[in-house]
Amino acid sequence: MRVTQQMMHQNSVRHMNQNLSRFEKLNNQVASGKVLSRPSDDPNGVSKAMNLKSTIAANEQFERNVDEAKLWLDESDQTINQVVNVMQRARELAVKGANDTLSASDREAIAIEVDQLNEQVRQFANTKVNDNYIFNGTKTDVAPFPNADSYLTDSFDATKKLVTIGEGVTVDVNVTADQIFGKSEDEGNLFKTLSDLAAGLRSGENTVSLETIDISIDRLLGTAAEVGARSNRVESIENRIQDTMIDLEARLSKIEDLDYAEAIIKLKSEESVYQASLASSAKIIQPSLMDFLR
């Protein structure tokens, strides 16, 4: 076969372009730190990386949901504990007020403190998290007990607020008002108990028994235990998600992250090959063309 000058030019250019393409690909990998930059680099690897990224994105959303669930449950737990403290103080005042030696002014002073405890409970009932009322079901933009006499009717919403914290895993993160404060007709409704206690102190008649207050406290403690159990479940799922995320990120890194030591060695090798092809072509192609290429 006769070798022409044109064939030599074409082969030289083709080889230089191939060498330059490999050099440019490695250079991009070193610059980005990623092995995969487009599907053609490794179709199977890119597919696996996309699936892993999709799973990681879903888990990141689950992590955000877990944070929200923990916030609601923690705030509910703290509020319940504070209400328990209020009711225990009310119980102490009920015992103190049952003393027949107290004067009317003494009972009035105790009744005033009970009124303040009642108002404090109402404030707890209207607790907000991120501008949402946490004890009004899904009507989080409406206060469940806007007025002092709101407890006379069950106007609050008792719908559960469900949050998805895992694949097929949901948890109710709220505590409804009836679980803490009681329904209007319940014995041991906190607001009614405290109102009756204050009224009894002023009238001198004991209208609220300690058993009624104890029913209120027992309901609070039972609800607190339920909230604690839900918190433990959420924390358990949070730990599982974090472990899964570590595994997923490790697998993704193994697929798409660059081994710098190996890549730099290859880069220097490709650079040498490219320089050699330039030098070789310079001896073959006409000087005027190679002068341009240099």
Side-chain angles (χ1 to χ4, degrees):
M1 183 179 69
R2 178 173 174 269
V3 179
T4 65
Q5 191 68 29
Q6 183 179 9
M7 290 173 60
M8 294 174 64
H9 289 181
Q10 290 175 342
N11 285 334
S12 296
V13 171
R14 179 164 58 84
H15 289 311
M16 281 192 295
N17 285 337
Q18 290 174 345
N19 294 336
L20 181 61
S21 177
R22 290 195 299 271
F23 181 56
E24 187 265 345
K25 180 179 179 180
L26 279 169
N27 188 51
N28 284 339
Q29 289 179 350
V30 171
S32 66
K34 301 293 182 184
V35 176
L36 307 176
S37 58
R38 49 181 179 247
S40 59
D41 291 337
D42 181 0
N44 187 43
V46 170
S47 176
K48 289 181 179 177
M50 290 178 67
N51 287 334
L52 288 171
K53 288 178 180 177
S54 177
T55 305
I56 288 173
N59 278 352
E60 287 174 344
Q61 182 58 56
F62 290 144
E63 284 186 319
R64 289 190 287 273
N65 291 353
V66 164
D67 289 341
E68 182 184 4
K70 289 176 63 179
L71 177 63
W72 277 64
L73 290 171
D74 289 347
E75 190 64 33
S76 298
D77 184 53
Q78 291 176 13
T79 303
I80 291 170
N81 288 331
Q82 290 170 327
V83 176
V84 168
N85 292 335
V86 168
M87 293 308 296
Q88 287 175 339
R89 177 57 182 165
R91 193 180 192 282
E92 293 173 5
L93 294 176
V95 173
K96 184 178 180 181
N99 190 337
D100 292 337
T101 62
L102 293 177
S103 64
S105 60
D106 292 336
R107 289 196 299 271
E108 175 62 22
I110 297 173
I112 290 173
E113 183 174 351
V114 172
D115 287 338
Q116 292 301 312
L117 294 178
N118 200 352
E119 180 60 21
Q120 191 175 354
V121 170
R122 192 173 72 85
Q123 291 175 358
F124 288 141
N126 294 324
T127 298
K128 299 171 77 174
V129 169
N130 290 336
D131 209 29
N132 293 310
Y133 293 99
I134 63 175
F135 298 127
N136 201 24
T138 55
K139 296 180 179 178
T140 56
D141 58 338
V142 180
F145 298 96
N147 305 308
D149 59 352
S150 297
Y151 72 91
L152 296 174
T153 58
D154 293 332
S155 56
F156 54 81
D157 181 37
T159 306
K160 292 182 178 179
K161 177 180 171 62
L162 300 177
V163 174
T164 301
I165 57 175
E167 194 68 42
V169 180
T170 59
V171 61
D172 51 318
V173 299
N174 65 330
V175 178
T176 55
D178 57 312
Q179 290 179 282
I180 300 177
F181 311 103
K183 295 180 179 178
S184 57
E185 71 275 11
D186 285 349
E187 182 184 10
N189 175 288
L190 299 193
F191 302 108
K192 185 175 186 303
T193 298
L194 294 174
S195 295
D196 291 348
L197 177 60
L201 288 166
R202 289 191 171 96
S203 66
E205 297 179 0
N206 185 11
T207 56
V208 176
S209 66
L210 294 180
E211 287 75 16
T212 301
I213 298 176
D214 289 340
I215 289 174
S216 305
I217 295 175
D218 289 344
R219 184 180 56 243
L220 290 166
L221 295 177
T223 304
E226 181 185 337
V227 171
R230 282 191 241 162
S231 295
N232 290 338
R233 182 186 174 202
V234 171
E235 288 181 5
S236 174
I237 293 174
E238 180 186 31
N239 291 335
R240 190 178 69 187
I241 292 174
Q242 289 174 346
D243 290 341
T244 302
M245 287 291 283
I246 292 173
D247 179 58
L248 290 172
E249 288 171 353
R251 290 165 61 186
L252 178 61
S253 175
K254 190 174 181 180
I255 292 174
E256 67 174 17
D257 285 351
L258 188 68
D259 182 339
Y260 270 101
E262 180 182 0
I264 289 175
I265 291 173
K266 288 183 178 179
L267 179 66
K268 297 302 293 181
S269 175
E270 290 296 338
E271 183 182 12
S272 299
V273 170
Y274 178 61
Q275 293 294 340
S277 66
L278 284 177
S280 173
S281 298
K283 296 181 181 299
I284 298 173
I285 302 176
Q286 293 297 321
S288 57
L289 175 58
M290 291 314 299
D291 288 342
F292 171 77
L293 291 175
R294 289 197 188 93

